[in-house]
Amino acid sequence: MAEVTMDKIVSLCKRRGFIFQSSEIYGGLNGAYDYGPLGVQLKNNIRDAWWKEMIQLHDNIVGLDASILMHPRVWEASGHVSNFTDPMVDCKQCKSRFRADQIDLNAPCPVCGNKGTFTAPRNFNLMFATHIGADVDAASTIYLRPETAQGIYVDFKNVVSSSRVKVPFGIAQVGKSFRNEITTKNFIFRSCEFEQMEMQWFCKPGTDEQWFPYWREQRMNFYVNRIGIHPEHLRWHQHGPDELAFYAKDAFDIQFLFPMGWQELEGVHSRTDYDLTQHQKFSGKDMTYLDPETNEKYIPYVVETSAGLTRNVLMALSDAYDEEVVAEGDIRTVLHFHPSIAPVTVAVLPLVKKDGLAEYASKLEHELRDDFATYYDQSGAIGRRYRRQDEIGTPYCVTVDYDTMNDNTVTLRFRDSMEQVRVPVSELVATIKKATKDYKRV
Ligand code: GAP
């Protein structure tokens, strides 16, 4: 296995249209990225796998799509206005800004090299403020949401009264979040605009202790079994007393071995009744739940699963990336995506363009579209076309050749093993579906 570096991932992402720097022709914007044709497909596939896992395959979880812009009091209640800060220092010489906890304040400035020039640390709020309406005054200040979770808390009562859900139940949501991050290196790992996949599990106080390990197990299984991540690239990190939010009972991060080392991928948090209680206090509205069977009234406790979708994309790319020595001096770059998240599932390739092969292949590609994300490629030598598909992680290539014209069979090539088998066209869809179901990560 070749060493996976961030430079290699960034270069492949740009070369093959997964991810671009935002506003690149203007010099780029720090902390913002555009997902190209393959990147958006990969991201959507991971999002859909998460949505299916949480909503379709679990009992009692419903979806929500809350707005990004919310009443400013939401963020006072949640504690983000007063506490969602990083300590920052500025270099007095070059004006560069750093997180005080990430640099050595006695060392020279990493940008201009001057010594002893840092300001005292100041707290800097990570929320992006903007204005709503025509007046630009303090009363019109609102924030881009820094997490999707608060939309779920604020709509808790609406969901209970409209969906007939009963505690314990969950509300799941995927969407954009924004944080004015100063340290935005490491590509899409930490960006100012990103996407989260969050689920709040509302349960009876006391039962949270049983749900917390349940959700931890579910979430780890998701990465190994559904996204196909190497289990040895995943581990747990329990928050110590100085990492734990003051209201949290417990918190574990799922960490992934990114190219720059072990880092957080998802948090599973036991958040008690803190958020709902805060919203009850700040809004003056009743946030209690009335148990229809026992008539007990209480504010539910919450176990939260909070994953970064864009960070999941970086994980999927890093875990899948490989450079394999095929023969002496011949290295193939390959992304071993699980077939269920690969941006293209099946590429259809005519061996040559002439003698009706291209027309046959093109027709077949159209027929496969109903079942798979497909791609048609007729240009260049067949070996090069296979390599192009390997590099974007396409798990199956179907080649139409002269035999196809006589007996309606095609060559099915598997990305990981490069094995080729002959399959009747009539059995192609079923064969690919079975291979996807039985897929084992190399
Ligand atoms: N509601 C809880 C919450 O937002 P968090 O640990 O701050 O918790 C959850 O964020 C997840 O969101 C992280 O594990 C990470 O995957 C993702 N995330 C957070 N900040 C991010 C950023 N600036 N860029 C990309 N992903 C980020």
Side-chain angles (χ1 to χ4, degrees):
M1 269 206 169
E3 192 199 353
V4 184
T5 64
M6 196 64 94
D7 284 349
K8 288 179 184 173
I9 302 278
V10 173
S11 155
L12 185 143
C13 282
K14 174 153 192 206
R15 192 168 69 244
R16 300 308 311 271
F18 280 91
I19 301 164
F20 312 118
Q21 174 72 67
S22 160
S23 322
E24 197 183 77
I25 61 167
Y26 290 99
L29 181 71
N30 249 348
Y33 294 91
D34 299 340
Y35 289 75
L38 296 176
V40 65
Q41 196 58 56
L42 174 62
K43 179 156 68 69
N44 287 351
N45 290 349
I46 296 173
R47 178 201 65 192
D48 293 348
W50 183 88
W51 192 261
K52 179 176 177 187
E53 165 87 10
M54 300 310 258
I55 307 250
Q56 209 169 310
L57 300 179
H58 277 100
D59 292 337
N60 297 337
I61 302 187
V62 292
L64 182 74
D65 186 10
S67 64
I68 289 171
L69 303 178
M70 300 177 77
H71 196 288
R73 292 276 284 166
V74 168
W75 307 110
E76 288 174 37
S78 67
H80 283 83
V81 170
S82 43
N83 298 325
F84 197 52
T85 55
D86 276 341
M88 296 295 186
V89 292
D90 293 334
C91 170
K92 289 182 200 155
Q93 294 290 327
C94 71
K95 312 287 179 219
S96 298
R97 183 166 280 175
F98 306 94
R99 263 177 63 173
D101 54 342
Q102 289 182 348
I103 59 164
D104 175 0
L105 298 177
N106 298 314
C109 168
V111 173
C112 68
N114 283 299
K115 208 164 180 242
T117 60
F118 295 115
T119 58
R122 282 169 298 140
N123 279 335
F124 177 84
N125 197 294
L126 293 176
M127 284 196 294
F128 281 103
T130 187
H131 293 275
I132 195 159
D135 296 331
V136 180
D137 59 17
S140 69
T141 299
I142 57 166
Y143 302 98
L144 303 187
R145 68 179 177 202
E147 62 170 18
T148 57
Q150 294 304 321
I152 294 178
Y153 294 122
V154 168
D155 272 332
F156 167 70
K157 291 289 267 195
N158 280 335
V159 173
V160 169
S161 61
S162 61
S163 321
R164 308 183 59 182
V165 283
K166 285 191 196 135
V167 166
F169 74 94
I171 305 179
Q173 161 159 244
V174 182
K176 292 233 171 181
S177 293
F178 301 82
R179 296 181 190 180
N180 197 356
E181 304 276 9
I182 298 303
T183 313
T184 52
K185 59 182 187 199
N186 291 326
F187 198 33
I188 56 169
F189 176 78
R190 190 184 304 287
S191 45
C192 292
E193 177 176 340
F194 56 101
E195 280 176 74
Q196 289 185 308
M197 308 184 286
E198 297 199 296
M199 192 277 300
Q200 318 299 123
W201 182 253
F202 299 93
C203 58
K204 192 172 172 187
T207 64
D208 50 305
E209 310 216 338
Q210 132 211 349
W211 288 114
F212 189 58
Y214 170 82
W215 279 112
R216 281 180 49 206
E217 192 190 344
Q218 294 291 304
R219 295 306 305 142
M220 187 59 100
N221 288 348
F222 170 76
Y223 289 115
V224 176
N225 301 332
R226 298 235 164 247
I227 307 293
I229 302 302
H230 286 115
E232 64 272 25
H233 291 167
L234 296 162
R235 72 176 188 193
W236 286 106
H237 163 76
Q238 185 172 19
H239 285 210
D242 45 342
E243 290 168 280
L244 211 55
F246 69 90
Y247 53 82
K249 255 172 101 167
D250 209 348
F252 280 75
D253 292 337
I254 297 177
Q255 294 187 335
F256 173 75
L257 187 55
F258 286 97
M260 66 285 189
W262 288 101
Q263 294 285 346
E264 174 184 343
L265 172 73
E266 162 159 358
V268 182
H269 310 129
S270 180
R271 295 179 67 103
T272 69
D273 58 359
Y274 173 75
D275 300 87
L276 288 179
T277 304
Q278 285 293 102
H279 287 303
Q280 176 163 289
K281 209 160 98 192
F282 276 72
S283 70
K285 297 286 187 304
D286 176 22
M287 288 301 214
T288 53
Y289 172 78
L290 178 65
D291 188 309
E293 267 128 47
T294 64
N295 268 336
E296 282 173 283
K297 214 173 168 197
Y298 55 84
I299 294 189
Y301 269 30
V302 167
V303 174
E304 168 186 69
T305 71
S306 175
L309 171 55
T310 42
R311 205 172 276 187
N312 258 261
V313 171
L314 182 60
M315 170 192 64
L317 286 161
S318 315
D319 198 63
Y321 187 94
D322 203 6
E323 290 162 5
E324 294 172 2
V325 181
V326 181
E328 211 185 304
D330 181 12
I331 294 173
R332 76 161 183 155
T333 302
V334 52
L335 292 176
H336 294 284
F337 288 136
H338 190 287
S340 63
I341 63 162
V344 176
T345 322
V346 188
V348 183
L349 322 167
L351 187 64
V352 290
K353 281 184 247 179
K354 55 185 186 175
D355 300 329
L357 269 63
E359 289 75 14
Y360 189 110
S362 167
K363 188 165 164 281
L364 176 60
E365 189 259 330
H366 273 74
E367 283 164 13
L368 294 173
R369 285 182 188 181
D370 228 16
D371 294 283
F372 308 109
T374 59
Y375 187 83
Y376 177 77
D377 186 5
Q378 62 175 29
S379 58
I382 191 74
R384 283 181 56 115
R385 277 182 274 162
Y386 284 147
R387 293 297 171 85
R388 283 207 289 263
Q389 295 304 317
D390 290 342
E391 206 188 29
I392 63 166
T394 306
Y396 313 107
C397 286
V398 169
T399 307
V400 169
D401 57 22
Y402 284 104
D403 287 343
T404 313
M405 312 303 277
N406 297 323
D407 62 6
N408 281 316
T409 63
V410 286
T411 298
L412 176 61
R413 174 191 182 263
F414 297 92
R415 175 199 64 204
D416 292 353
S417 61
M418 292 189 276
E419 186 201 348
Q420 302 190 4
V421 294
R422 205 71 194 169
V423 180
V425 168
S426 57
E427 291 171 22
L428 195 54
V429 170
T431 308
I432 292 172
K433 284 191 174 164
K434 179 161 182 344
T436 298
K437 204 155 177 264
D438 298 344
Y439 180 77
K440 291 263 173 315
R441 182 72 166 80
V442 289

